[in-house]
Amino acid sequence: MSEWCQNKRCPQKKNQNQIRGSKGAKYYQSNKASGYYEHWCSMGCRESWFQEHKETCMNAVGFIDKQILPLDDAWFVDFYYSWRDSNGDGGYYLINKLKGIKRAIPRQQAQTPEDIAEDRTWTTIDETQAKELAVQLGLAS
Ligand SMILES: [Zn+2]
């Protein structure tokens, strides 16, 4: 690990905050790596690093073939604002587009107790929980 941005061209950004040294011997230095970007200072530096090293990364991780999400695993829960819903009523839905199912469900089924306690509106249970709910409601086995 390093505290410095991993893009070797980071100093070439030539930002004011990167200037160090005394008159006549000034230079630009890398930014520190920041929390959100982990090993880089910014999205631009991360992208620059990735463009240079993507072949190395892919060879290290390995390539994969086409992935498939089958019918029975395609459940999810979504929140629709009324303006986004074709019926005009909004709310929470258990959905499986591959099965052609969009079933209105109460908030208690659509969200975790934490979501409800925190009064978040648009967060919903994850896809594994959505599948379990579909089984409970007799929509899947
Ligand atoms: Zn950088």
Side-chain angles (χ1 to χ4, degrees):
M1 289 281 282
S2 164
E3 65 178 315
W4 299 100
C5 176
Q6 293 300 292
N7 176 20
K8 67 186 180 191
R9 286 182 294 277
C10 190
Q12 293 173 25
K13 289 151 74 104
K14 301 182 196 69
N15 287 336
Q16 200 66 24
N17 70 314
Q18 295 177 299
I19 298 175
R20 293 293 184 282
S22 51
K23 198 173 179 188
K26 290 192 175 186
Y27 58 92
Y28 292 102
Q29 69 174 24
S30 296
N31 287 322
K32 293 220 168 147
S34 80
Y36 181 79
Y37 294 103
E38 296 188 54
H39 308 302
W40 301 270
C41 72
S42 61
M43 194 194 303
C45 277
R46 184 174 67 184
E47 180 61 18
S48 174
W49 184 93
F50 180 69
Q51 287 306 322
E52 185 174 349
H53 297 293
K54 62 188 172 187
E55 291 310 317
T56 305
C57 292
M58 290 311 301
N59 288 329
V61 173
F63 284 82
I64 60 173
D65 267 322
K66 174 171 68 181
Q67 303 292 297
I68 281 177
L69 183 68
L71 187 76
D72 288 329
D73 293 332
W75 294 97
F76 65 100
V77 170
D78 205 1
F79 175 75
Y80 284 65
Y81 288 98
S82 53
W83 50 261
R84 202 186 134 193
D85 184 44
S86 51
N87 300 322
D89 12 271
Y92 298 94
Y93 290 88
L94 177 63
I95 300 166
N96 187 324
K97 291 179 182 174
L98 301 184
K99 284 178 177 269
I101 294 175
K102 182 182 172 190
R103 163 86 58 99
I105 55 173
R107 188 177 187 187
Q108 288 72 19
Q109 289 180 333
Q111 294 191 302
T112 64
E114 296 79 54
D115 289 334
I116 294 168
E118 298 284 323
D119 202 27
R120 299 180 196 117
T121 304
W122 54 87
T123 55
T124 60
I125 57 174
D126 66 27
E127 294 177 9
T128 304
Q129 294 168 313
K131 185 181 178 181
E132 287 165 7
L133 180 60
V135 171
Q136 278 175 36
L137 298 177
L139 297 169
S141 51

